[in-house]
Amino acid sequence: MEERKGRRIIMFPVPFPGHFNPMIQLAGIFHHRGFSVSILHTSHNFPDPSRHPHFTFRAISHKKEGEGEDPPSRSETSGLDLVSFIRVLKQKYAEPFRETLAAEVGGGETVCCLVSDAIWGRSTEDAAKEVGLRRVVLRTGGAASFRAFAAFPLLRDKGYFSILDSRLDDPVIELPPLKVKDLPVIETNDPDELYRIITDMVEGVKSSSGVIWNTFEDLERDQLIDMSSNFHVPFFPIGPFHKHNNDLPPKTKKKDNETINWLDKQEPKSVVYASFGSLADVEEKEFLEIAWGLRNSKQSFLWVVRPGLVRGTEWLDSLPCGFMENVGDKGKIVKWANQLDVLAHPAVGVFWTHCGWNSTVESICEGVPMICTPCFTDQLVNARYIADVWRVGKVLERSMMNKGEIEKVVKSAMIVEGDGMRDRCLAFKEMADKSLGKNGSSSNYLDKLVRHALSFDS
Ligand code: UDX
């Protein structure tokens, strides 16, 4: 552990688990390298600070007298247009963030820099400049998907976003190996706003003092090189974040004994772990197809059904009466799991995932091959890379998600030895471990990042 004095970093995460988790892991990494970390967090989804006792938290409230409530939480508003939701977050918190940052910086101890999530865009750059701070961006997604986001103006000019459904399998010539159906978009009532959010994110990265990636060179070398020639800011691919030794005591991590006890009773590599992250939702009809597909596959399964996952229902309301009794000990449904512990468990054979970037990295780092059912944005790009570039998973398209197809794909994914999927995934796991070792690429980039952050001070 290094000396902490005079080394302070302020962080500003986006308040969704898929963004907060990597930011808090990054906070642990900086803490281990001797920095103190203050986290400015929206009052929306404000975390429990007692779970992260090493960091200081400050809530940013957008509420002024006479103003309305916080944006409702996503779980309360399943089906709410995510694009509109992000627009509201960005608008409501821009000014309060600026004020809170100014108060924090004026508070005494020298601050090295601001680390803000790329999604916040250029307004955080402006706020940092006003108080004389440099801003480094955390991009929580992968480099491959960011390359596609950076190409949005070109893709729009070339008409890719208005291509007819009949041509979804056409290649995107400018972005191999992507097909039109892999472009990182999301169903929204406001496609222009999506375009604004994405281009603001990309411009915000270009104007930053550096980008931290939760990826490692052996996984995304070509994509990083390709982009670094267009972005004249330093890149720091220091991932996988969650595998860094941060020396934080284990009491900060919640143990999920019930799930682990159930996994302990299963045969090695026999369980399909199914989870679609913290934001995606499904129709009731899709939910039932998943349930029957899993059951008919006759494989053991651990399935995370988040409250709010199934549109218009509380939790398992639409599961047919007696379904779980029929499945018996072969299956377990939970509201939330400690995914890192689950993926590291020897009983887990395959991860059926929506391909959020954290899930992708976490699975690769445990050598667990994937079944990919991407739902939106970067997940669509990640799935293409998982299946066709890294070849550590199979795609089960959402439009094909009927019980017959699910049964077929799940059964075949469990026999992965034959096509080398697991071996390739284990090879990436080894590369990830190596990248964090002495003189590994991620360790070296972390050294550079620390020097970079400290250089702002002088
Ligand atoms: C969102 C986007 O959807 C994703 O595409 C983007 O890359 C990041 O932001 P999310 O959908 O939540 O993220 O997916 P993902 O990136 O996989 O992050 C989910 C996080 O929650 C992971 O760190 C995972 O370990 C954790 N998780 C999820 C759990 O700990 N338990 C669960 O039951 C489910």
Side-chain angles (χ1 to χ4, degrees):
M1 187 81 65
E2 295 168 27
E3 181 59 42
R4 209 167 301 281
K5 232 161 108 208
R7 297 174 163 209
R8 181 167 171 238
I9 284 185
I10 296 181
M11 294 185 147
F12 185 34
V14 161
F16 301 137
H19 290 255
F20 179 77
N21 290 0
M23 186 68 94
I24 206 80
Q25 288 159 356
L26 181 62
I29 294 168
F30 274 121
H31 181 270
H32 183 62
R33 296 300 296 258
F35 290 85
S36 64
V37 178
S38 305
I39 298 176
L40 310 190
H41 198 288
T42 59
S43 50
H44 172 75
N45 270 354
F46 193 74
D48 173 2
S50 70
R51 293 201 55 210
H52 313 284
H54 295 84
F55 315 126
T56 311
F57 283 82
R58 178 147 343 269
I60 306 173
S61 175
H62 67 80
K63 279 185 232 168
K64 298 227 166 67
E65 238 171 274
E67 270 195 5
E69 290 301 304
D70 269 351
S73 80
R74 282 277 299 163
S75 59
E76 290 163 44
T77 55
S78 189
L80 182 80
D81 191 317
L82 185 58
V83 171
S84 315
F85 190 76
I86 292 174
R87 175 181 51 78
V88 172
L89 276 181
K90 286 183 67 173
Q91 281 172 355
K92 290 211 166 198
Y93 285 101
E95 183 56 22
F97 168 73
R98 205 178 61 78
E99 288 164 9
T100 313
L101 181 69
E104 278 292 306
V105 170
E109 198 188 341
T110 314
V111 179
C112 298
C113 63
L114 167 71
V115 177
S116 63
D117 190 303
I119 295 276
W120 289 122
R122 281 169 296 185
S123 69
T124 51
E125 180 70 30
D126 297 341
K129 270 200 184 120
E130 273 179 37
V131 291
L133 261 195
R134 301 283 284 274
R135 165 178 159 269
V136 176
V137 165
L138 166 62
R139 176 57 196 157
T140 58
S145 60
F146 197 82
R147 194 168 144 251
F149 287 130
F152 259 41
L154 174 88
L155 295 169
R156 185 158 84 167
D157 287 352
K158 297 230 166 182
Y160 277 107
F161 295 132
S162 42
I163 277 181
L164 298 174
D165 281 359
S166 58
R167 291 181 47 206
L168 292 180
D169 276 308
D170 284 6
V172 179
I173 296 148
E174 296 79 0
L175 287 175
L178 299 188
K179 300 178 181 182
V180 171
K181 64 184 174 189
D182 306 325
L183 291 177
V185 292
I186 182 169
E187 246 183 77
T188 171
N189 297 326
D190 195 350
D192 288 342
E193 184 58 34
L194 173 67
Y195 187 84
R196 278 193 290 274
I197 291 171
I198 298 300
T199 46
D200 185 40
M201 170 176 80
V202 173
E203 291 309 312
V205 163
K206 284 184 176 158
S207 61
S208 75
S209 295
V211 191
I212 305 171
W213 302 90
N214 186 12
T215 190
F216 53 100
E217 265 195 340
D218 279 341
L219 188 65
E220 295 199 284
R221 179 175 287 102
D222 293 349
Q223 294 71 43
L224 289 162
I225 290 174
D226 183 64
M227 269 190 302
S228 63
S229 52
N230 295 323
F231 285 74
H232 303 287
V233 295
F235 281 5
F236 302 98
I238 63 164
F241 291 179
H242 69 287
K243 288 284 182 180
H244 278 259
N245 171 16
N246 63 21
D247 278 353
L248 294 184
K251 70 173 183 181
T252 57
K253 293 178 186 158
K254 253 194 200 162
K255 273 271 166 231
D256 176 3
N257 293 327
E258 201 192 310
T259 302
I260 297 300
N261 289 344
W262 182 83
L263 284 171
D264 284 345
K265 292 191 202 117
Q266 312 303 318
E267 295 293 318
K269 310 224 178 320
S270 67
V271 174
V272 182
Y273 167 55
S275 173
F276 303 103
S278 64
L279 293 173
D281 52 15
V282 297
E283 299 286 354
E284 196 172 330
K285 188 174 168 303
E286 293 176 294
F287 171 72
L288 289 173
E289 295 291 332
I290 299 172
W292 287 116
L294 283 171
R295 183 215 156 268
N296 295 350
S297 76
K298 301 202 169 47
Q299 304 295 323
S300 302
F301 65 86
L302 171 65
W303 182 14
V304 176
V305 179
R306 233 181 44 239
L309 174 74
V310 190
R311 280 175 216 154
T313 69
E314 287 287 318
W315 190 37
L316 300 178
D317 332 8
S318 45
L319 214 51
C321 197
F323 179 87
M324 282 317 287
E325 287 75 6
N326 182 292
V327 167
D329 227 21
K330 268 230 163 265
K332 186 167 180 62
I333 299 183
V334 295
K335 289 186 174 163
W336 191 252
N338 185 331
Q339 185 161 298
L340 294 176
D341 289 350
V342 168
L343 287 170
H345 197 285
V348 173
V350 160
F351 181 12
W352 183 6
T353 170
H354 70 313
C355 305
W357 185 246
N358 298 288
S359 293
T360 302
V361 171
E362 289 161 11
S363 205
I364 285 176
C365 287
E366 296 306 335
V368 178
M370 289 163 265
I371 298 171
C372 307
T373 303
C375 298
F376 50 74
T377 61
D378 65 328
Q379 302 157 16
L380 297 147
V381 177
N382 300 340
R384 177 63 54 209
Y385 274 74
I386 292 168
D388 291 1
V389 179
W390 305 317
R391 295 170 57 228
V392 293
K394 296 171 191 275
V395 175
L396 167 55
E397 279 184 31
R398 190 158 173 187
S399 58
M400 298 291 290
M401 218 171 51
N402 59 64
K403 59 181 181 234
E405 193 61 23
I406 294 169
E407 179 186 343
K408 203 170 89 195
V409 175
V410 166
K411 276 182 174 158
S412 78
M414 291 306 275
I415 322 169
V416 287
E417 268 72 14
D419 64 12
M421 238 166 44
R422 193 188 310 282
D423 286 346
R424 282 188 292 276
C425 205
L426 284 168
F428 277 119
K429 170 183 163 47
E430 270 177 34
M431 289 181 228
D433 291 343
K434 220 168 130 200
S435 77
L436 296 174
K438 197 165 175 336
N439 283 326
S441 62
S442 297
S443 303
N444 289 342
Y445 275 115
L446 178 57
D447 289 342
K448 280 187 197 159
L449 174 62
V450 168
R451 286 198 296 274
H452 192 58
L454 291 174
S455 72
F456 298 148
D457 221 6
S458 46

